[in-house]
Amino acid sequence: MPRPLRTSRRASAGALALRGRIWVDRGDQAALTDAGADLLDQVDACGSLSEAARRLRFSYRRAWMLVDAMTHRWPAPLVSTAVGGQRGGGTQLTEYGRRVLRSYREAQIEVEHALGRAQRRFAESTKAPP
Amino acid sequence: MPRPLRTSRRASAGALALRGRIWVDRGDQAALTDAGADLLDQVDACGSLSEAARRLRFSYRRAWMLVDAMTHRWPAPLVSTAVGGQRGGGTQLTEYGRRVLRSYREAQIEVEHALGRAQRRFAESTKAPP
């Protein structure tokens, strides 16, 4: 999961490279960013918000606030929390959350491809003058 | 000059909207951002760094530092400064600077178009569940 989107994973230290980033706003507030998408990915992988936070080296507070913000900015919940049970509940992506995450990753790839095409032209037309 | 790139200029306050931004890095340092491109645009329009800064409500210090950073991260100067003369010199875009700026705007438009396409699909696939 590139963050920022990179047009080349092995750009040499001195190379000029076009970068880009996407996110989702609701009104003027962020509804989904790369950090949020990474968190949803990890929640989906491990079924626990605290474990997802640990894997991303986010504080639990940061992870919780990301989920809380996302919860209020989408028309339906992206995650659901089970209460009780042998392992004390857990956090899962909802069907809708999975759909949002997949759509975000698809948009990211589409923009990344555009960036790759733009980079080739950009590199050509910004060569040092003779 | 949209900053951030917007897929719709009249998104209603509550609408979910995919946003994006591009920039140019050299290695891990920013070589051109929207702020820098806006500054180059204004320098080109008015021939003066201090007037360009005023128009963008940048401090002169910020404008100077942007130009200084750009100067060191491109293979040739983007601006040239004339010394003396009746109006005490002035700042102009070099031919190369003009080329870089034009290429940046083209890349911005290309990515904006991709974002627009992605937004349509994104809006469709993230509709609230019934």
Side-chain angles (χ1 to χ4, degrees):
Chain A
M1 291 159 296
R3 182 181 13 142
L5 305 172
R6 283 161 197 281
T7 53
S8 160
R9 288 174 195 278
R10 282 172 179 265
S12 71
L16 289 160
L18 209 53
R19 308 273 190 219
R21 179 193 293 283
I22 68 164
W23 67 95
V24 181
D25 276 346
R26 174 154 211 162
D28 56 2
Q29 295 190 297
L32 189 58
T33 60
D34 286 346
D38 290 350
L39 186 63
L40 293 181
D41 263 330
Q42 289 302 327
V43 164
D44 198 31
C46 67
S48 152
L49 183 59
S50 56
E51 174 59 20
R54 217 170 359 249
R55 289 184 182 188
L56 293 169
R57 298 172 190 272
F58 290 178
S59 68
Y60 183 75
R61 180 182 153 78
R62 181 179 176 202
W64 190 89
M65 286 177 67
L66 268 170
V67 166
D68 186 59
M70 288 192 276
T71 298
H72 292 97
R73 288 171 199 160
W74 292 86
L78 304 186
V79 301
S80 67
T81 301
V83 180
Q86 225 174 2
R87 296 174 55 217
T91 303
Q92 307 283 338
L93 259 60
T94 61
E95 189 52 43
Y96 182 64
R98 217 166 263 128
R99 182 141 51 93
V100 166
L101 180 58
R102 192 169 52 236
S103 303
Y104 184 81
R105 295 303 188 198
E106 284 167 2
Q108 214 172 21
I109 288 167
E110 177 149 2
V111 171
E112 198 167 3
H113 285 168
L115 213 51
R117 289 190 299 272
Q119 165 74 26
R120 284 189 290 278
R121 262 200 294 283
F122 187 81
E124 185 57 38
S125 55
T126 59
K127 273 185 187 154
Chain B
M1 289 159 296
R3 180 176 22 136
L5 304 172
R6 282 160 198 281
T7 53
S8 160
R9 288 175 194 278
R10 282 171 179 263
S12 72
L16 289 160
L18 209 54
R19 309 273 191 221
R21 180 193 293 283
I22 69 163
W23 67 95
V24 181
D25 277 346
R26 174 156 210 161
D28 55 4
Q29 294 190 298
L32 190 57
T33 60
D34 287 346
D38 291 350
L39 186 63
L40 293 181
D41 263 330
Q42 289 302 328
V43 164
D44 198 32
C46 67
S48 153
L49 182 59
S50 55
E51 175 58 20
R54 217 169 1 248
R55 290 185 182 188
L56 293 169
R57 299 171 189 274
F58 290 178
S59 67
Y60 183 76
R61 180 181 152 79
R62 181 180 176 201
W64 190 89
M65 285 177 68
L66 268 169
V67 166
D68 186 60
M70 288 191 278
T71 299
H72 292 97
R73 289 171 198 159
W74 291 87
L78 305 186
V79 301
S80 67
T81 302
V83 180
Q86 225 174 3
R87 297 175 53 218
T91 304
Q92 308 283 340
L93 259 60
T94 61
E95 189 52 43
Y96 181 64
R98 217 166 264 126
R99 182 141 52 94
V100 166
L101 179 59
R102 193 168 52 236
S103 303
Y104 184 81
R105 295 303 188 197
E106 285 167 1
Q108 215 172 20
I109 289 167
E110 177 150 3
V111 170
E112 198 166 3
H113 284 169
L115 213 51
R117 288 190 300 272
Q119 164 74 25
R120 284 189 290 278
R121 261 199 295 283
F122 188 81
E124 185 58 39
S125 55
T126 60
K127 272 186 187 153

